[in-house]
Amino acid sequence: MDSSASFEHRSRPATKLEVSKRADPVRTRGHRGGVISMHRALAHFRLGPMNLVAAISLFVFFTSIWLVLLPKICHLWNRVLTLGIRVLPLHADLGLAEHHLTPFIRFDIPYLRMEPVLPSSQAWWLTCVATLALFGASFLLSGKLIPVMYLLRGILLVPATALLYFAVLSARFPHNPDSYMEGLVTAGIALISTVPLLFGLTYYIFDFGLLKKALLTAVTMIHLALFLPLQVLLQALFLQKTVLFMPVLYMIFGMPINILVIIAFYSWGMTWRFRSAPGF
């Protein structure tokens, strides 16, 4: 009995403290007095049957539409790349790589073909000076920009290793611009094809409404489809100078940029109100 009484005596202040914390309105208000609502990432999520049906339906719909329109999209990229060769200071030819997913879905992937140019001593030293200058400039950033500082230094590791490689084993570089350009377009097609699946697993399951889910998917895929040929043309302008830039273009300004585009659109879509949220 004494031990039971002492346990109740010890647990009573803790219970009162928890109640006071929950009842304290100051803990749920910001410094200006506004109410801080719970973030949707911390809210309890329940997957409803309708959201599951919508996720599967949208995935099948957008994947089917993409596969049907892929030959026409490749033809559009063909025209854009042809126009870029004509109006830009670009010494390249247009190549076509035949692919087929099924006997009924065949398409030719357009890409740019150009002669590989090994880095001259002047290009090597200019790139080396620019890399060292950017590395030195990272030390001049303020303490508030520490994430940017370390991100910049991490990026500079790529051209630094490329400079070291071409200084020692320049003649043994195994890649050429033709295969790189074809791989860039092929990887872009594969990435766009996965957008419905990615959104199906991470966005369609939330209760945003069918229209918002379809709109976000369509905008993301259209943006990537229009961005890819421009990305190819821009990289070709640098790659025609020397293959020294190929590691930087591939690891920094290749598919990582396209993935960041998907993340940006997804983040934008997650700021929209749920269908059941007040004020929708």
Side-chain angles (χ1 to χ4, degrees), residues 186-203:
T186 304
I189 292 175
L191 183 63
I192 299 174
S193 302
T194 61
V195 170
L197 177 60
L198 292 174
F199 283 180
L201 297 174
T202 61
Y203 190 78

Side-chain angles (χ1 to χ4, degrees), residues 25 40 46 74 78 133 152 163 165 183 202 231 239 241 245 253 256 271:
R40 67 181 63 202
R46 293 180 180 177
C74 288
N78 191 330
L152 178 59
L163 288 167
Y165 179 90
T202 61
Q231 182 184 25
L239 201 57
K241 301 297 182 182
F245 302 134
F253 300 104
T271 63

Side-chain angles (χ1 to χ4, degrees), residues 1-263:
M1 295 295 291
D2 294 339
S3 61
S4 175
S6 61
F7 175 77
E8 293 179 359
H9 178 73
R10 288 194 303 267
S11 62
R12 189 175 296 111
T15 305
K16 290 182 178 180
L17 182 60
E18 293 176 359
V19 173
S20 63
K21 287 182 178 181
R22 291 195 298 266
D24 187 6
V26 178
R27 296 176 58 85
T28 60
R29 294 188 177 274
H31 71 285
R32 294 184 179 180
V35 178
I36 304 176
S37 58
M38 180 181 293
H39 193 272
R40 67 181 63 202
L42 302 177
H44 181 65
F45 171 70
R46 293 180 180 177
L47 179 61
M50 293 305 299
N51 288 334
L52 184 59
V53 172
I56 297 175
S57 301
L58 288 173
F59 165 73
V60 173
F61 173 77
F62 279 104
T63 301
S64 302
I65 292 296
W66 169 252
L67 293 178
V68 170
L69 295 180
L70 187 55
K72 295 184 178 180
I73 293 174
C74 288
H75 181 68
L76 174 64
W77 291 345
N78 191 330
R79 299 182 61 179
V80 173
L81 295 180
T82 302
L83 179 63
I85 295 174
R86 186 183 308 140
V87 302
L88 294 176
L90 186 60
H91 304 288
D93 297 323
L94 186 65
L96 296 175
E98 184 178 355
H99 289 264
H100 56 87
L101 298 177
T102 66
F104 305 99
I105 302 178
R106 297 185 178 184
F107 53 93
D108 295 327
I109 295 180
Y111 65 96
L112 297 180
R113 300 168 57 186
M114 59 186 69
E115 292 294 329
V117 179
L118 293 177
S120 62
S121 58
Q122 181 182 7
W124 192 95
W125 280 108
L126 287 176
T127 306
C128 183
V129 170
T131 303
L132 292 175
L134 289 174
F135 181 75
S138 66
F139 291 93
L140 303 178
L141 298 176
S142 64
K144 297 180 180 180
L145 299 176
I146 288 180
V148 178
M149 179 191 306
Y150 285 104
L151 176 62
L152 178 59
R153 293 176 186 176
I155 291 175
L156 291 176
L157 285 176
V158 179
T161 54
L163 288 167
L164 180 61
Y165 179 90
F166 282 100
V168 180
L169 301 171
S170 178
R172 297 185 180 181
F173 189 64
H175 305 286
N176 59 72
D178 293 357
S179 61
Y180 171 76
M181 285 294 173
E182 181 183 353
L184 181 63
V185 179
T186 304
I189 292 175
L191 183 63
I192 299 174
S193 302
T194 61
V195 170
L197 177 60
L198 292 174
F199 283 180
L201 297 174
T202 61
Y203 190 78
Y204 296 164
I205 57 178
F206 293 99
D207 193 20
F208 285 107
L210 190 64
L211 182 60
K212 289 183 178 180
K213 296 173 184 179
L215 176 63
L216 184 67
T217 308
V219 170
T220 304
M221 298 181 72
I222 292 173
H223 180 91
L224 290 172
L226 296 178
F227 174 72
L228 184 60
L230 304 180
Q231 182 184 25
V232 170
L233 289 172
L234 182 60
Q235 291 203 13
L237 290 174
F238 289 92
L239 201 57
Q240 71 177 348
K241 301 297 182 182
T242 173
V243 292
L244 175 62
F245 302 134
M246 187 180 295
V248 180
L249 294 175
Y250 173 74
M251 300 185 66
I252 306 300
F253 300 104
M255 285 300 103
I257 297 295
N258 304 60
I259 294 174
L260 288 177
V261 169
I262 297 177
I263 295 174

